[in-house]
Amino acid sequence: MMLHSGFHAIERIIQRPCTLFLRRCLIPIATVTRRNMESVSNREIIKQNKSILEKVMIKDSQTTVEKVKEKATNAYLYMAYVVSMIMMGGMAYLLYEEMLAPGAPQTVFSKALSLIKKDPDCLRLLGDSIMGYVKGRGRMKQVAYHIYKKDGNDRTRVVFNVKGTRREGIATCEMERSNGTWEWRFLIVSCADLVSESVILIDNR
């Protein structure tokens, strides 16, 4: 009986340190495992947040690049529009100066030819159906002209060919702008084939 009680006592003495040892070992292991799981979970959350942030930053970067490209394209189109408008304005100005202005060579030519067709002396000299033309090759033919200044006034001199049913000749004319108004200085038609002969329609020199 005493021997049996002694064994129980020894068993309790042995179990108590073992229990304490297991508690000391297993509890920290569980705590470490839980902490490791929490750490892994936190890392995954951080990684997900980082991935989302990177996506947002990439999207913002792409949006910024697209905006810059759009602004550059708009600026290029605006510059092209401005340059084209300037070129069109320059061409319109040149067209007006060459064709439509009161002192333009084409305008002087048209006015002079109209006067020649109506003048009786020119009809006698050249014949009927008087026409004005320019000698040369190609379709783009232009009357010979000279634009210059004299005494502060603009002058336009034009020379062209005239032809009627009888003879051919050369018309020489000049207009001057004085006080903002274009006026004739002279208009002369001359023939130099067999007999040199001239008709002075206007002479204000």
Side-chain angles (χ1 to χ4, degrees):
M1 185 71 177
M2 291 179 63
L3 182 60
H4 183 71
S5 299
F7 279 120
H8 277 289
I10 293 171
E11 185 178 357
R12 282 197 299 270
I13 292 170
I14 293 173
Q15 286 180 352
R16 186 174 182 183
C18 290
T19 304
L20 293 174
F21 175 77
L22 290 175
R23 286 181 180 177
R24 290 178 181 178
C25 292
L26 294 178
I27 291 175
I29 290 173
T31 304
V32 170
T33 303
R34 186 172 62 253
R35 289 179 179 176
N36 289 336
M37 292 178 64
E38 291 177 354
S39 177
V40 171
S41 178
N42 291 334
R43 283 200 298 269
E44 290 179 354
I45 293 172
I46 293 172
K47 188 181 293 185
Q48 291 177 358
N49 293 335
K50 185 178 180 181
S51 178
I52 294 172
L53 181 61
E54 288 177 351
K55 289 181 180 179
V56 172
M57 291 179 65
I58 292 172
K59 186 176 181 180
D60 291 340
S61 177
Q62 291 176 349
T63 305
T64 304
V65 171
E66 290 176 356
K67 288 181 179 179
V68 171
K69 288 183 178 179
E70 184 178 359
K71 289 182 179 180
T73 303
N74 292 337
Y76 173 77
L77 293 176
Y78 177 76
M79 289 297 297
Y81 173 77
V82 171
V83 171
S84 62
M85 291 300 294
I86 292 173
M87 292 180 64
M88 290 179 63
M91 292 177 63
Y93 175 77
L94 291 176
L95 179 64
Y96 175 78
E97 288 293 324
E98 291 289 335
M99 304 290 292
L100 303 175
Q106 189 66 32
T107 303
V108 176
F109 165 77
S110 299
K111 289 181 177 180
L113 183 60
S114 178
L115 293 175
I116 292 170
K117 288 181 177 180
K118 297 176 182 178
D119 187 76
D121 293 333
C122 290
L123 290 171
R124 177 187 57 80
L125 178 65
L126 301 173
D128 297 330
S129 303
I130 298 174
M131 59 178 294
Y133 64 97
V134 179
K135 290 183 178 180
R137 296 180 179 179
R139 296 181 179 180
M140 298 299 294
K141 297 177 182 179
Q142 192 175 21
V143 295
Y145 66 92
H146 177 54
I147 298 175
Y148 65 102
K149 279 183 177 290
K150 182 71 174 180
D151 299 329
N153 296 329
D154 295 326
R155 292 181 179 181
T156 302
R157 181 176 296 181
V158 175
V159 179
F160 59 94
N161 299 92
V162 288
K163 180 180 180 180
T165 55
R166 293 181 57 192
R167 301 172 73 179
E168 295 183 8
I170 295 176
T172 306
C173 56
E174 184 173 292
M175 294 189 75
E176 180 182 27
R177 184 170 65 178
S178 178
N179 298 323
T181 303
W182 285 89
E183 298 177 354
W184 286 106
R185 289 194 72 241
F186 61 85
L187 173 56
I188 301 171
V189 177
S190 59
C191 294
D193 43 10
L194 297 176
V195 179
S196 180
E197 190 175 357
S198 299
V199 175
I200 301 175
L201 287 80
I202 300 172
D203 192 357
N204 295 323
R205 292 174 289 184

